[in-house]
Amino acid sequence: MASDYHIDNTDERAPLASRPPSADQISQLAKQFGDALGETATKPIEQIGQLIEKCGLAFVEKIIAETEATEAVGGLLTQDRKRRRSKGGVFFYLAKGQMDAGLRAEIFPNFGKGGDGTIAPPGIEWEERIAPMRALRDGAGQISGLTVTMSGRPGRLHIEGSSVMTVIEQRQVKAPPYPKGVPHFDTIDGVTAYYVFMSLRHWKRVETALEDEADLLVIEGSAVYDAQLAGITILSTRVSTKKLDYQQRKAKLQGEQITGQQPTTPSSEQDGRL
């Protein structure tokens, strides 16, 4: 992204782009980035400075841009899914997931530690997954239910009666930040086609919202491999968009703050009537 952050560069003999920033410049930038992220405490500001120094200014600007994009569509929940991460929390979460493991351990020494302070053992590498997974196929378990969530922009539509169909492709999969023990990969090349079925009623709910090209379709449903189409079929049970979900969460939170009530969980009897 084009950076909105500026540092003094009075030494005209060496442009900033051709040399690393000085300690004073790093400190200045870390403070500016921290202010933009809502981080004012000493420790996170120091960690932002270390990211600039060890990973480069371009890396930090890239994570800042991804943070802004993530916040624009509703942000990220904490690991226990009980609350939304702060803007600074989103930044550090994204940075940790994309940086070199050695530098991550250096800048964030508590990363991957359990509640008792012990360090979790290293997990399997992505390249080593084939043999154990093939061996486990003989003792495979059985799925009793499966729901997946996908987000993206829909392709061309085919509407037939109350059925709406579209195809969404996934290309060059990049690994998101995974918990320790789940193998990471750089990218997986190739194209996976997802053949999406949804009801016309569901589509009408999101059609206008998706006129905003910055918004993303969100689909929950069952996934099955379709050998005849050589792809994965998604049978949708819930259809929304990122921004519609964010607006719904925001309205719910504001309602709870006005009434002073905590969210309630319907009883089994109530669930049966919904």
Side-chain angles (χ1 to χ4, degrees):
M1 77 174 189
S3 176
D4 293 327
Y5 303 92
H6 305 281
I7 60 177
D8 292 331
N9 183 27
T10 56
D11 185 358
E12 298 179 354
R13 295 170 300 175
L16 179 62
S18 64
R19 60 186 175 85
S22 67
D24 287 343
Q25 291 168 338
I26 289 174
S27 177
Q28 181 183 350
L29 281 169
K31 178 65 167 59
Q32 291 176 0
F33 283 131
D35 288 344
L37 293 168
E39 297 287 350
T40 57
T42 301
K43 186 64 175 178
I45 297 298
E46 289 178 349
Q47 289 172 327
I48 294 171
Q50 288 180 292
L51 286 170
I52 297 171
E53 178 184 2
K54 300 179 185 299
C55 299
L57 180 57
F59 173 83
V60 174
E61 289 180 328
K62 171 179 174 289
I63 301 299
I64 288 280
E66 291 180 6
T67 300
E68 297 288 358
T70 301
E71 287 288 285
V73 293
L76 291 176
L77 295 178
T78 54
Q79 191 168 359
D80 60 11
R81 305 188 67 80
K82 291 184 178 179
R83 61 179 179 83
R84 182 177 168 180
R85 294 177 191 267
S86 67
K87 189 174 183 180
V90 173
F91 169 80
F92 285 117
Y93 177 82
L94 295 174
K96 291 172 186 177
Q98 298 183 41
M99 61 190 301
D100 174 80
L103 290 177
R104 183 174 58 218
E106 185 177 342
I107 299 173
F108 306 100
N110 292 325
F111 179 83
K113 289 187 177 181
D116 57 359
T118 60
I119 299 178
I124 190 170
E125 296 293 332
W126 178 254
E127 294 77 10
E128 300 172 356
R129 74 196 187 282
I130 302 298
M133 280 297 191
R134 283 179 174 168
L136 290 171
R137 188 66 188 270
D138 290 338
Q142 295 294 318
I143 290 177
S144 60
L146 173 65
T147 299
V148 297
T149 302
M150 66 180 297
S151 64
R153 293 290 300 179
R156 289 190 301 115
L157 301 178
H158 176 83
I159 300 176
E160 189 168 323
S162 61
S163 298
V164 178
M165 291 164 271
T166 189
V167 180
I168 302 176
E169 293 182 339
Q170 186 177 36
R171 300 170 181 266
Q172 283 194 323
V173 183
K174 293 186 178 182
Y178 289 125
K180 191 149 188 159
V182 178
H184 291 241
F185 54 85
D186 292 328
T187 59
I188 295 179
D189 292 326
V191 178
T192 302
Y194 291 83
Y195 299 92
V196 178
F197 292 85
M198 71 187 86
S199 73
L200 182 61
R201 178 173 58 89
H202 277 150
W203 172 250
K204 290 299 183 182
R205 289 178 180 174
V206 300
E207 185 176 15
T208 301
L210 288 171
E211 292 176 1
D212 179 358
E213 295 187 358
D215 205 354
L216 295 176
L217 180 67
V218 177
I219 293 174
E220 293 179 6
S222 300
V224 294
Y225 179 72
D226 190 326
Q228 290 181 293
L229 291 175
I232 298 172
T233 294
I234 304 294
L235 306 172
S236 307
T237 56
R238 175 181 175 270
V239 179
S240 185
T241 75
K242 288 281 190 179
K243 290 187 177 180
L244 287 176
D245 281 351
Y246 171 66
Q247 291 167 3
Q248 186 177 18
R249 290 195 302 269
K250 184 177 179 181
K252 181 180 179 181
L253 180 60
Q254 289 175 339
E256 291 167 0
Q257 291 174 338
I258 292 172
T259 61
Q261 296 177 347
Q262 295 297 320
T264 58
T265 302
S267 66
S268 299
E269 183 180 354
Q270 290 173 320
D271 276 342
R273 295 197 298 267
L274 294 177

